[in-house]
Amino acid sequence: MPKKQFRVEEPTISRWLLTITPFAAALFALVFALFLIQTAHKEDQAITSTLEQDLLWQKQALKNRLENLQHQLDGLADVIVTDGLSSAEFSGRYLSILQDSPEVMSLEYIDETNQVRWQHPLNRPDLLPPQNHRNLVAARSVVLVNNQPQFSTVLQGQNQTPLLAFVTPVRLNYHGRHTLVAILNLNTLLQQQVPWWIAQRYQISLTENGETIASKFNRNLDPTGLHQAIDFDLAPNQFQLQATVYQQQRSWQQYLLTLTVIALSMLMLASTWALRRHIKERHNIEAQLRQETAMREAMENSLVTGIRAMDKDGHLIYINRAFCDMVGYSADDLLGQSQTMPYWPPEDLDRCTAVYRAILSGRAEPSGYQMRFMRANGERFDVRLYAAKLIDGDGQHTGWISSIYDITELQRERNALQASHERFVNVLNGLEAAVSVSDAASCEMLLTNRQFDRAFNIPDWHGRYCALPYTPRRKGAPVETEWFDAYRGHWYQIKSRSSVWVDGSEVWLEIATDITALKNAQERERQQNEQLQQTTRLISMGEMASSLAHELNQPLAAIASYATGCRNVLSQAEPNIAQLDQAIEKMAGQAKRAGKIISGIREFVQRRAPHRKPCEVADLVDTVRTLLAAEVAKQQVKLTIGEVRDLPIVYADAVMLEQVMFNLMKNAIEAMHDTPIANRTLDLSISTNKDFLSVIIADRGTGINPEQMEQLFKPFYTTKNTGMGMGLNICRSIIEHHQGRLWVEGNPGGGSRFIFTLPLPQESLAGEP
């Protein structure tokens, strides 16, 4: 795929050359510095060698000069000894010596008494020290003792002029102890005996113990302090002849050349350092550029968006891998292509050409174009194309760049979503329930179905509107309740729950089902059930009429007997009032018993609406036992009732529960019609657990087979020859109306067990719904 890739430089000769350049410059600077140091060292060596030679020459010249002076003084001493001299001749000889040795400032001839016999110049210069100077005296003493020429130690003349006396013995024949004393000016000696070519190079001086005694000139010395010294013994003095190099005067061209070379070297080093820094920065930039290029290439290869670039003439100059994968053509097949592109489908050629020309003319739509392209295998697919100007690094408009998104799958999903939405709307409109979605904060209706609009007369064309909630809303679990529309006279079952709308806001979803017909049917069923229960109770009372008549006959017969007894007591002359009172009291008790039986019958058969209230289970059991007492006695059934005194209170309609217990126990008695009398037992046991009251009625009848158990509670199903088949169905309806259960199962040992449960009130005396 053609990409504007940056050339990755290999470790080639050019890189080595770039790396060697700074090292070569540094090496050149080092060699040049070594060259300068070596040259300076050679110059110093040459100067030192010349200095040593010149110094030796100078020493020898001074030695020769002093030896010559010694010879002249020795000659003068010999002439004095042999020929004698006059004062004039002494002066002549002095002038002769002075002509050769200008450094001789005076010449004196002194006898053994230290008297100056002759001297010249005749007037002793003030510069000279006195004759009795201790150094002079010491030197003459040494000469007289040793009889050998001798130099004195350094004498300081006027103005610190360095002087030196040379004493020569005059060996007289009569052992006279005379001496010749020549006073030498050491500065004059150096000035006279140091030639000009040495004086131009060095400062010649005499030193003793590091202190300069005499010197010639005092010019600027060489800053390096280069000097050389050799011994110049003039006993007893320990002189050293020292030569110090003067500062050499060099031409400005030489200085300029040296400075130029040094400046060029420094400039070259600076340039090399800058070049090395530039190369290093360039390497870093190239490394970052390679990294960014690799990152860009990886990003482009990982993109699923196709990218293409065209020049101003519409020729493709760049495409990425995603676009090649999208259209199925290689980059070599597409680069350089212009109108007409191979991925333009023939049927959409006009559309593609129009978009192509719009982009080249700069009139591309900012929102992009939805187009259809064709793959190399002929497959069509939908794309979304966005175009923009291609601006290069200099800010120049060089072409057009486009991003292409394959929206085939998105289009398919959008169509599927649209179809799903339409199906959803159709399903909502097909519901018989009114469905609505309203904003939780503003109660604005966001979505309603057709049944909602129809039920509440919402026009087809309407704007935004709000609606009051059906019932108070509560967050948490979905709320299910009933609501009566008093304006239209309709009952609705409302199911509402909190939900989240597509924009993330909180909404309420409410489904209102019109249950007006169901409510009417339930009311009719309730009325029919009441009539049926009334009928059932009447039938039961009819069936038990003879037994109840027998039951009522007993208290009535007892009342009649007590009435006869009272008459007999009253017929006596003295009636026994106590017996009469006792009989009347028993008559009242029997009358209450008869009234209780009649009251129970009236309550049992009375037609009225269900009314739930707290009931004592013991009272219910007592009522049923009273009603069935005659039938139990008639059928010779052994009735066993468990403990009922400490049972909790149940919240129920007492008459309905009495009817259930009456029917179940009456059915149990009838089921034992063929059972031997000894085995006719009817057990009533009541127990409780945490939540329920459980009542078990067990008999020893013939039992019920499994097929009958499945049909037993259905309406109009009966196993009796004269039954209506509604008794057990009504019993189950009553128990379920009290949120309980009723079922039958086999009684271990024979017979059946009818069991029903009732929920115990969780709160004391909860109100009736």
Side-chain angles (χ1 to χ4, degrees):
M1 186 164 302
K3 290 183 170 61
K4 294 180 179 179
Q5 296 179 344
F6 291 90
R7 182 169 58 89
V8 178
E9 293 187 357
E10 301 295 336
T12 57
I13 297 176
S14 59
R15 172 169 293 185
W16 279 104
L17 291 176
L18 290 175
T19 308
I20 288 174
T21 301
F23 290 101
L27 184 61
F28 172 77
L30 179 61
V31 171
F32 181 74
L34 292 176
F35 172 75
L36 293 178
I37 294 173
Q38 186 179 11
T39 301
H41 182 68
K42 287 183 177 179
E43 289 181 355
D44 292 342
Q45 286 183 339
I47 293 173
T48 303
S49 178
T50 303
L51 175 61
E52 291 176 353
Q53 295 176 4
D54 294 342
L55 191 60
L56 290 175
W57 183 90
Q58 184 63 55
K59 178 181 178 182
Q60 188 62 38
L62 292 175
K63 285 287 186 180
N64 292 336
R65 184 59 185 174
L66 294 177
E67 288 176 0
N68 186 30
L69 176 60
Q70 183 178 358
H71 289 316
Q72 287 179 338
L73 293 179
D74 289 342
L76 179 58
D78 292 339
V79 171
I80 293 174
V81 171
T82 57
D83 300 332
L85 289 177
S86 63
S87 176
E89 290 173 344
F90 182 82
S91 300
R93 296 297 296 263
Y94 167 76
L95 295 176
S96 177
I97 294 172
L98 183 63
Q99 185 177 2
D100 294 334
S101 303
E103 66 273 7
V104 178
M105 299 185 68
S106 68
L107 181 64
E108 296 175 346
Y109 177 62
I110 302 173
D111 60 15
E112 63 271 9
T113 63
N114 293 327
Q115 295 294 323
V116 179
R117 292 191 176 185
W118 302 317
Q119 66 176 13
H120 196 87
L122 297 176
N123 296 321
R124 185 182 179 86
D126 297 334
L127 181 65
L128 300 181
Q131 293 177 348
N132 57 354
H133 192 279
R134 66 174 185 273
N135 292 351
L136 291 175
V137 174
R140 287 198 303 270
S141 299
V142 172
V143 170
L144 293 177
V145 172
N146 297 331
N147 199 24
Q148 292 294 330
Q150 177 71 37
F151 285 98
S152 68
T153 56
V154 177
L155 303 172
Q156 294 294 335
Q158 191 176 11
N159 299 328
Q160 300 297 322
T161 302
L163 302 174
L164 190 67
F166 182 70
V167 181
T168 301
V170 179
R171 303 176 181 89
L172 298 176
N173 295 327
Y174 55 89
H175 302 291
R177 300 174 63 186
H178 297 174
T179 57
L180 289 176
V181 179
I183 304 300
L184 305 180
N185 188 333
L186 294 179
N187 287 335
T188 304
L189 176 64
L190 294 179
Q191 290 174 0
Q192 292 296 323
Q193 298 304 319
V194 176
W196 64 269
W197 50 273
I198 290 180
Q200 291 292 327
R201 299 176 184 174
Y202 321 108
Q203 181 190 52
I204 302 300
S205 58
L206 287 175
T207 63
E208 185 176 24
N209 299 325
E211 183 180 357
T212 301
I213 303 300
S215 62
K216 182 177 182 180
F217 305 125
N218 189 12
R219 294 163 51 186
N220 293 330
L221 302 178
D222 191 85
T224 59
L226 183 61
H227 67 278
Q228 191 73 28
I230 58 176
D231 295 336
F232 188 72
D233 296 335
L234 295 176
N237 301 290
Q238 300 295 326
F239 291 149
Q240 280 192 324
L241 183 62
Q242 177 175 308
T244 303
V245 178
Y246 287 133
Q247 185 176 5
Q248 297 296 322
Q249 297 294 329
R250 299 181 180 179
S251 65
W252 63 270
Q253 292 87 353
Q254 186 177 1
Y255 281 113
L256 179 61
L257 179 60
T258 303
L259 292 176
T260 302
V261 173
I262 293 175
L264 290 177
S265 299
M266 297 299 293
L267 182 61
M268 183 179 63
L269 289 176
S271 176
T272 303
W273 177 81
L275 178 61
R276 175 177 173 77
R277 183 176 180 182
H278 175 72
I279 292 173
K280 187 176 181 180
E281 291 178 353
R282 179 182 174 184
H283 287 172
N284 294 334
I285 294 173
E286 287 179 355
Q288 294 178 359
L289 187 59
R290 284 195 297 271
Q291 185 176 1
E292 291 179 359
T293 302
M295 177 63 74
R296 175 190 168 190
E297 183 177 359
M299 292 173 62
E300 290 180 354
N301 292 334
S302 61
L303 283 176
V304 296
T305 302
I307 298 176
R308 73 175 189 187
M310 300 185 299
D311 58 14
K312 289 186 175 180
D313 297 329
H315 294 90
L316 289 175
I317 58 175
Y318 171 76
I319 53 176
N320 70 341
R321 178 183 296 177
F323 186 77
C324 292
D325 297 340
M326 196 179 295
V327 298
Y329 290 97
S330 66
D332 295 336
D333 297 335
L334 295 178
L335 288 177
Q337 295 280 351
S338 61
Q339 187 183 2
T340 303
M341 301 295 180
Y343 48 82
W344 290 357
E347 64 273 15
D348 289 342
L349 198 59
D350 295 340
R351 165 72 173 165
C352 294
T353 303
V355 173
Y356 176 80
R357 292 177 177 174
I359 294 174
L360 291 182
S361 62
R363 294 181 287 102
E365 292 290 340
S367 58
Y369 300 94
Q370 183 169 344
M371 305 173 63
R372 174 157 292 187
F373 282 175
M374 179 179 66
R375 304 186 200 280
N377 59 6
E379 181 184 358
R380 271 63 170 174
F381 63 100
D382 296 324
V383 299
R384 191 76 183 177
L385 185 145
Y386 299 90
K389 288 183 178 179
L390 179 62
I391 307 298
D392 63 5
D394 298 330
Q396 300 296 323
H397 175 208
T398 59
W400 305 92
I401 187 168
S402 304
S403 57
I404 301 97
Y405 301 89
D406 187 351
I407 61 172
T408 305
E409 190 63 27
L410 179 63
Q411 190 69 20
R412 186 180 298 113
E413 292 179 355
R414 185 176 299 170
N415 295 334
L417 183 62
Q418 180 65 26
S420 174
H421 177 72
E422 292 177 357
R423 289 194 297 272
F424 172 72
V425 172
N426 290 334
V427 169
L428 282 182
N429 291 334
L431 292 176
E432 293 296 333
V435 180
S436 64
V437 178
S438 60
D439 186 81
S442 63
C443 295
E444 179 185 353
M445 283 297 175
L446 303 176
L447 175 68
T448 59
N449 68 343
R450 184 180 301 167
Q451 181 61 27
F452 182 89
D453 298 342
R454 186 183 304 163
F456 299 104
N457 296 328
I458 305 300
D460 295 339
W461 296 99
H462 58 78
R464 301 171 61 182
Y465 66 97
C466 300
L468 295 175
Y470 299 106
T471 58
R473 293 166 174 170
R474 298 192 304 271
K475 292 184 178 180
V479 177
E480 183 173 349
T481 184
E482 293 180 354
W483 173 70
F484 180 68
D485 185 0
Y487 179 75
R488 297 175 183 81
H490 285 255
W491 277 96
Y492 291 94
Q493 183 186 40
I494 307 299
K495 296 182 179 178
S496 62
R497 63 177 302 171
S498 178
S499 182
V500 179
W501 195 234
V502 292
D503 59 354
S505 61
E506 183 182 4
V507 297
W508 279 95
L509 170 64
E510 293 172 317
I511 302 174
T513 304
D514 191 346
I515 59 172
T516 304
L518 178 62
K519 295 289 287 186
N520 293 336
Q522 289 178 347
E523 180 62 20
R524 288 194 298 271
E525 183 181 1
R526 186 187 64 79
Q527 294 176 358
Q528 291 173 358
N529 286 336
E530 288 181 357
Q531 293 176 357
L532 190 57
Q533 292 173 18
Q534 176 68 13
T535 302
T536 302
R537 286 193 291 268
L538 291 175
I539 291 174
S540 298
M541 288 300 100
E543 292 174 351
M544 297 176 64
S546 58
S547 299
L548 292 174
H550 174 74
E551 187 68 18
L552 284 173
N553 189 42
Q554 290 181 355
L556 293 176
I559 291 172
S561 297
Y562 286 125
T564 302
C566 290
R567 183 178 291 175
N568 293 333
V569 172
L570 291 173
S571 62
Q572 294 177 2
E574 294 181 357
N576 188 344
I577 300 303
Q579 291 181 350
L580 183 60
D581 182 68
Q582 184 177 9
I584 291 173
E585 183 179 358
K586 291 183 177 179
M587 286 173 62
Q590 291 300 323
K592 290 181 180 178
R593 176 185 176 189
K596 187 175 180 181
I597 293 173
I598 292 172
S599 177
I601 294 172
R602 186 175 65 249
E603 289 289 336
F604 189 74
V605 300
Q606 184 179 7
R607 180 181 178 182
R608 59 178 179 81
H611 179 65
R612 298 174 66 179
K613 62 180 182 179
C615 301
E616 290 285 352
V617 178
D619 295 341
L620 301 177
V621 174
D622 186 59
T623 300
V624 174
R625 181 170 56 185
T626 301
L627 294 175
L628 289 175
E631 188 68 17
V632 170
K634 180 181 178 181
Q635 297 297 332
Q636 299 181 3
V637 175
K638 182 180 180 181
L639 176 60
T640 305
I641 298 176
E643 182 60 41
V644 296
R645 287 179 296 180
D646 297 331
L647 293 175
I649 294 175
V650 296
Y651 191 80
D653 187 305
V655 176
M656 288 184 174
L657 290 184
E658 289 171 357
Q659 182 178 352
V660 172
M661 296 174 64
F662 180 85
N663 286 341
L664 295 178
M665 294 177 67
K666 183 173 178 294
N667 289 340
I669 294 172
E670 293 175 354
M672 292 185 293
H673 183 269
D674 297 331
T675 303
I677 295 174
N679 296 332
R680 293 178 183 177
T681 58
L682 175 60
D683 297 328
L684 174 62
S685 60
I686 302 175
S687 61
T688 61
N689 56 20
K690 182 179 180 182
D691 299 323
F692 290 94
L693 175 75
S694 179
V695 180
I696 302 175
I697 300 171
D699 63 64
R700 293 298 179 184
T702 57
I704 305 172
N705 58 46
E707 292 77 8
Q708 291 177 332
M709 286 184 181
E710 295 180 356
Q711 306 293 331
L712 200 59
F713 294 99
K714 291 183 178 180
F716 306 109
Y717 179 82
T718 180
T719 58
K720 301 177 184 177
N721 295 331
T722 57
M724 294 176 59
M726 294 299 297
L728 291 177
N729 181 264
I730 292 173
C731 291
R732 171 170 281 186
S733 298
I734 292 173
I735 295 301
E736 291 178 350
H737 177 74
H738 287 79
Q739 288 82 42
R741 289 183 59 217
L742 171 62
W743 71 95
V744 62
E745 61 186 20
N747 189 14
S752 302
R753 294 201 310 174
F754 283 81
I755 305 172
F756 70 87
T757 59
L758 292 174
L760 293 174
Q762 299 299 320
E763 297 180 359
S764 61
L765 303 180
E768 183 180 3

